[in-house]
Amino acid sequence: MTKRMERAMISRRSLTATGAGFAIGVLARRAGALAHEATPEAGEATPAGGLTPLGYSSIRLRKLTAPEHRAKVNALVIEQFAPEVVAIEGFEGYLVGDVIDQPEGSISVLVLDHADDEAAFDVLATAFVGSIADMVEAAATRQWSGDLYMTASPAPSAATPVATPMPGMEAGYAALRIHTSLPNTDPLDFVPEAIAGFLPIVTALPGFLGYLWFPIEAGFVALSLYDTESSAQASTLAAKDWATEHLKDYTDGNPEVINASVVYAELPIFEK
């Protein structure tokens, strides 16, 4: 077994969000812009003063030809497809979930070191989807991709020196929010403010398991992971409230929201 596969297997143990502690990964920041110096693992600014990405994420929403195909497709993904994804060079995470209010919807979240690593995934995905073409409407697939600039994972508080393992995220919930940017704005401009003001809010919600954020051509995407559906929905309400107050110059605060129950997750990016 390779070290990469061993790390992916270990990643199935999520940490509880007991206490107020959390770890935020931000590999870079605009020079002098981030005042939140208490943030763990703060990065350095690039020479040009821009942000250096943490990695790369691609989220896909697929439509099945019928709701009854969900169980079979999920089983095939877990047994056949996911092990191949985990073995991809640059692998940092893969998650599959059933869209809660769309009986035929299935969502996948891929995390890689670099965008260039996605080519190998695309080859695997094309072959796999082709093998189940009768159960998937490939032409209806939607995709959002971009370089990661914010991640957060639960961590024990100072009073809890050893994190408590919990079952894998197969029983978790994901809240995906796709924001549209206002004209002539750059979402990277508010990253330092979001790190200082927003991440402490979502990470403090009960059952917090992880957070990913990346810009896309038309806006930006955020993914929150929790162990209960109610907490995932609470994160969306918190995000809306915070955006209405702090991001009115960047977005209208009314993102498209996709909620899903997690059926498979290997997320070593949150073990860093």
Side-chain angles (χ1 to χ4, degrees):
M1 181 181 295
T2 66
K3 289 184 178 180
R4 182 173 298 278
M5 292 183 71
E6 289 176 353
R7 183 178 66 171
M9 290 179 67
I10 292 171
S11 74
R12 297 181 75 164
R13 299 194 307 269
S14 299
L15 304 180
T16 62
T18 302
F22 63 92
I24 299 176
V26 182
L27 293 190
R29 56 186 176 182
R30 297 186 187 279
L34 182 56
H36 192 55
E37 294 298 336
T39 298
E41 300 183 20
E44 297 299 327
T46 64
L51 291 168
T52 300
L54 277 157
Y56 175 84
S57 184
S58 180
I59 299 178
R60 305 182 188 203
L61 176 65
R62 298 190 185 278
K63 183 178 180 181
L64 304 180
T65 54
E68 57 266 28
H69 294 325
R70 264 186 171 174
K72 184 175 181 179
V73 170
N74 287 340
L76 290 171
V77 167
I78 294 170
E79 296 169 7
Q80 299 179 14
F81 185 63
E84 295 182 322
V85 175
V86 170
I88 293 174
E89 184 66 28
F91 173 80
E92 289 291 350
Y94 185 60
L95 178 151
V96 177
D98 292 335
V99 179
I100 292 173
D101 58 353
Q102 298 177 28
E104 298 163 354
S106 175
I107 190 170
S108 67
V109 180
L110 175 70
V111 184
L112 301 166
D113 284 337
H114 304 286
D116 293 345
D117 297 326
E118 190 177 22
F121 175 84
D122 287 339
V123 171
L124 295 176
T126 298
F128 180 73
V129 172
S131 71
I132 56 171
D134 59 325
M135 293 186 285
V136 179
E137 295 185 16
T141 300
R142 300 174 63 192
Q143 182 174 350
W144 303 271
S145 303
D147 289 327
L148 285 170
Y149 286 96
M150 284 189 283
T151 72
S153 57
S157 68
T160 311
V162 179
T164 303
M166 65 179 293
M169 280 189 52
E170 292 85 349
Y173 292 85
L176 175 66
R177 298 179 288 275
I178 304 103
H179 294 259
T180 299
S181 289
L182 296 179
N184 303 314
T185 62
D186 183 352
L188 292 185
D189 289 340
F190 66 76
V191 167
E193 183 179 2
I195 293 168
F198 177 64
L199 286 185
I201 296 173
V202 292
T203 57
L205 291 173
F208 172 74
L209 295 174
Y211 180 84
L212 301 172
W213 183 97
F214 58 90
I216 55 177
E217 184 176 353
F220 51 98
V221 171
L223 178 75
S224 299
L225 303 171
Y226 293 86
D227 63 3
T228 67
E229 184 177 359
S230 60
S231 289
Q233 293 174 345
S235 75
T236 294
L237 293 176
K240 183 177 179 63
D241 290 343
W242 195 85
T244 299
E245 181 178 356
H246 297 274
L247 302 185
K248 57 182 178 295
D249 293 333
Y250 295 93
T251 181
D252 62 10
N254 292 304
E256 177 182 359
V257 179
I258 299 171
N259 296 304
S261 57
V262 177
V263 297
Y264 173 91
E266 300 284 359
L267 296 165
I269 189 169
F270 294 137
E271 299 292 333
K272 290 184 174 180

